[in-house]
Structure formats: C-alpha cells, structure tokens
Amino acid sequence: GFNLSVTTCDKTDLAIEVVEGSNGSGKVFPGVKIVLGVQNLPENKTLSQFDVAWNIDGISNSQWTKTTDGIAIDVNSLSHDKSYRVNLQLDSGAYFVSIDLQTVSAMSASLSVTPSQGTSMETNFSIGVSDLHNSVGNVTYEFSVQTDSSSVLLSSQAGSSFTTQLPTDADQLVHVKVLVRDSSGNSSNLSKDVSVATASKLLTVSDLDFVGLSNIQKTAKIALYASTLELTEKSTSSSCNCSGHGNCSNNACQCAQGWGGFDCSLDS
C-alpha cells in the first residue's frame, strides 16, 4: 500500500492507505474492488476499538462496506479521471484523517490496418492494436468487420494483432472494428475504415488457401467466404414470381393495387 495526499491532526500520524485497487503510481482503477486500510492508529488500538465514521465525497454510503481494518469500495462505484475525498473520524472527531483518491483515465488504445486499401478476399490486411493504456489484468480483443450489408466476427483472442482478408460485394469502405476488454470490465471500441474493391472473379471453394493460417484465421476465412457468397447472391439475384400482378424489386414483389401476398396472388 501507499499513502495519498494525507491530512491529519497534530495528535497522531494516523494515515489511510490504499491496500488494493491501485495502479502502483498513486491512482486507483474504477471497475475493480478498492480496499482502504488505516495506519498508525493511536494508543496502540485496533480500528474496532474506536467509534469509526467514514465518508466519501461523491458516492453514497451504500457503495462501500466496512472491513475489519478499513473499508472496501464496491466495483463500479467510481468514475474515470475523477478525484474523491475520503474522510475518516475516530471517536467523534478526536482523530481525523483524509485522502484524495484519484482515478485513472478511461482505457485507450490505437488501431492500425495495413494496407489501407485492397481487393476483397485477395489482399491480406494486418490489423493491430497498440498504445494500450489504463487496462486492468488480462485483456481480450474482438476483431470484426462490417460492410454496408453484413457484419462478421473474425476472432476473440488474447493477442492484439490479426491478419485477415475482407469481404465486399461492391467497391466500398469496409469498417474494421476491435472491441478491447480487460478483467475489470473496462472496454474501448476502436474502428478504422479501409477501401476494398470487389474481387477480380467470383470466388469458389478452391480459391480458399489455408496454408500457414492458424485455426482462428481459418475459421475467419470461412466466415468471410460465406459472407461474400451471401453478399454476391443478394447483389446478383433479382428474380421473383409476382404472378403477373406486380414488379420484382430487391428480391421482393411490389404488388399492383388490388393484389397482395408475397407473390401478389391474393385478390384484395
């Protein structure tokens, strides 16, 4: 533990310490349990031998609980990048001490995708997360891509980088997204757009090359291939039977007045 901005009366070296939940440089993490203890109690007593009154400016008493040696602040009671004054009185003010708990800023990171443009299901794009700050414990990364008409989850993994191909049925910007989560529940959403052109030919299963790919990358490639086939089918199929009572538009019948049903066969 360590002391933070300690103010005491002259009667004692009484001090509050952060026992659990700090980042080691004088700040605490929202989203994790924060435990405070008391040092240098007067008269060689334990904390339970005093009339103890705790108060934390900015949060209610229901958001923390007393422990044998101090208090425990509930998970998610504090906000990022904020200061909280913690006050402790012993024996109705005979002894008083306070500290300022400064919370860390929200999790942040940078996302890069190279190259910045390529061809659907042909170009290998390298996606990487760097400059991660203010994370707690283990971190997971969810990589996904979104086009104008579909979304594909590529991988959920501990590694911060991923190599993949991207699907599209038309020349467009594809949104590469990464959701970064840590053990405390903090998260950061990252996004970057890349320009992807349609493939030079209609893909078939024989076009899928899995040489040198990890199982995660193989699974992602199959999902992307399925997404590409679905997109291609949507963009190339334009036939529907409207029973002579309507027009086909985007694979759905627009029925003439007086007719209804999915195939315009019902006389309304």
Side-chain angles (χ1 to χ4, degrees), residues 9-258:
C9 64
D10 294 332
K11 298 181 180 179
T12 179
D13 293 326
L14 183 68
I16 301 173
E17 64 171 344
V18 180
V19 178
E20 184 180 333
S22 86
N23 67 351
S25 61
K27 294 185 178 182
V28 295
F29 288 107
V32 302
K33 182 180 179 181
I34 298 170
V35 178
L36 304 180
V38 184
Q39 292 182 324
N40 305 322
L41 285 164
E43 306 171 25
N44 294 320
K45 292 182 178 180
T46 63
L47 192 61
S48 61
Q49 293 175 293
F50 291 93
D51 178 17
V52 179
W54 290 91
N55 170 262
I56 305 177
D57 295 344
I59 69 172
S60 68
N61 291 349
S62 64
Q63 293 176 288
W64 54 265
T65 55
K66 289 184 179 180
T67 66
T68 302
D69 302 311
I71 58 172
I73 302 174
D74 293 346
V75 173
N76 297 322
S77 294
L78 307 182
S79 301
H80 288 286
D81 201 18
K82 190 173 180 179
S83 182
Y84 296 86
R85 173 61 61 93
V86 181
N87 303 304
L88 169 63
Q89 287 190 91
L90 301 179
D91 290 347
S92 301
Y95 302 97
F96 174 82
V97 65
S98 65
I99 64 169
D100 291 315
L101 290 180
Q102 178 65 47
T103 57
V104 300
S105 300
M107 185 194 298
S108 63
S110 299
L111 175 63
S112 63
V113 182
T114 55
S116 60
Q117 59 184 15
T119 303
S120 174
M121 298 305 294
E122 293 181 11
T123 304
N124 288 319
F125 291 90
S126 296
I127 309 168
V129 177
S130 60
D131 300 323
L132 179 63
H133 298 288
N134 301 323
S135 62
V136 181
N138 297 326
V139 177
T140 58
Y141 302 83
E142 290 186 7
F143 295 85
S144 63
V145 294
Q146 182 177 346
T147 67
D148 290 344
S149 51
S150 72
S151 180
V152 179
L153 175 64
L154 301 177
S155 174
S156 180
Q157 60 183 60
S160 61
S161 61
F162 192 72
T163 299
T164 187
Q165 295 168 345
L166 300 177
T168 180
D169 63 321
D171 296 352
Q172 62 178 278
L173 290 177
V174 172
H175 312 294
V176 177
K177 299 182 176 184
V178 184
L179 173 59
V180 186
R181 285 197 182 101
D182 69 12
S183 300
S184 73
N186 292 328
S187 64
S188 179
N189 286 287
L190 309 174
S191 179
K192 182 148 320 247
D193 293 343
V194 294
S195 179
V196 181
T198 54
S200 57
K201 64 175 183 176
L202 184 63
L203 291 174
T204 65
V205 174
S206 62
D207 294 314
L208 297 182
D209 181 8
F210 296 111
V211 176
L213 298 184
S214 67
N215 288 336
I216 291 176
Q217 290 171 320
K218 291 176 182 177
T219 302
K221 192 163 188 176
I222 292 171
L224 291 168
Y225 172 69
S227 175
T228 302
L229 291 183
E230 182 181 0
L231 291 170
T232 303
E233 181 180 358
K234 286 180 179 178
S235 64
T236 57
S237 175
S238 61
S239 61
C240 47
N241 180 12
C242 300
S243 307
H245 303 301
N247 297 316
C248 185
S249 177
N250 294 325
N251 296 326
C253 288
Q254 303 295 321
C255 298
Q257 186 174 359

Side-chain angles (χ1 to χ4, degrees), residues 252-265:
C253 288
Q254 303 295 321
C255 298
Q257 186 174 359
W259 295 93
F262 75 92
D263 60 354
C264 302
S265 62

